[in-house]
Amino acid sequence: VQLQASGGGLVQAGASLRLSCAASGFVFSNSYINWFRQAPGKEREFVAAISSEGGITYLADSAKGRFSVSRDNAKKTGSLQMHTLKSEDTAVYYCATIQGRPKLATLQDPRNMDYWGKGTLVTVSS
């Protein structure tokens, strides 16, 4: 099982960035893809989630209106598109998966995830 987030970098406030999550070694199409982030000294927090077929998406309040989430099951990839980045978006971003049709509360808790990828660092300079 492998999950790998990529696409992070150093950008200025107001810029856009697209993160990708590549999966292999498990039935990707049966799983939600979740995005979490962890800033220095803070707990890992939920950012976004997308259902197995892509028909249901959730965004944290901090992401609404600026971020969007998508997936391509044929390519076994997921994406987190981020616009109007702010300094408070600076964090290591992780993708994770969970099988089934969990409720939002379950999706929001990182302890419930089945698999995790290595994170990718996003730094937003003000």
Side-chain angles (χ1 to χ4, degrees):
V1 174
Q2 280 195 331
L3 277 176
Q4 180 64 58
S6 60
L10 171 62
V11 297
Q12 291 189 332
S16 298
L17 209 56
R18 186 179 182 90
L19 305 183
S20 296
C21 177
S24 63
F26 66 102
V27 184
F28 179 77
S29 59
N30 288 351
S31 300
Y32 266 73
I33 302 172
N34 284 33
W35 290 90
F36 292 85
R37 67 186 182 187
Q38 188 164 18
K42 295 188 176 181
E43 292 187 350
R44 194 165 296 190
E45 66 173 359
F46 171 81
V47 177
I50 184 167
S51 62
S52 56
E53 295 299 323
I56 300 172
T57 59
Y58 298 107
L59 292 169
D61 287 343
S62 60
K64 288 178 181 176
R66 300 188 300 126
F67 295 5
S68 63
V69 61
S70 61
R71 66 189 293 160
D72 185 335
N73 284 344
K75 296 181 179 179
K76 290 191 174 182
T77 59
S79 295
L80 180 68
Q81 178 68 56
M82 304 184 292
H83 297 293
T84 320
L85 284 163
K86 307 175 182 179
S87 57
E88 50 263 46
D89 294 319
T90 294
V92 177
Y93 284 71
Y94 300 88
C95 60
T97 61
I98 178 172
Q99 284 193 334
R101 298 179 179 181
K103 296 180 180 179
L104 177 57
T106 301
L107 292 168
Q108 292 172 322
D109 188 342
R111 295 171 297 180
N112 295 324
M113 298 299 108
D114 295 328
Y115 302 118
W116 286 91
K118 293 182 180 179
T120 184
L121 176 62
V122 173
T123 304
V124 183
S125 63
S126 56

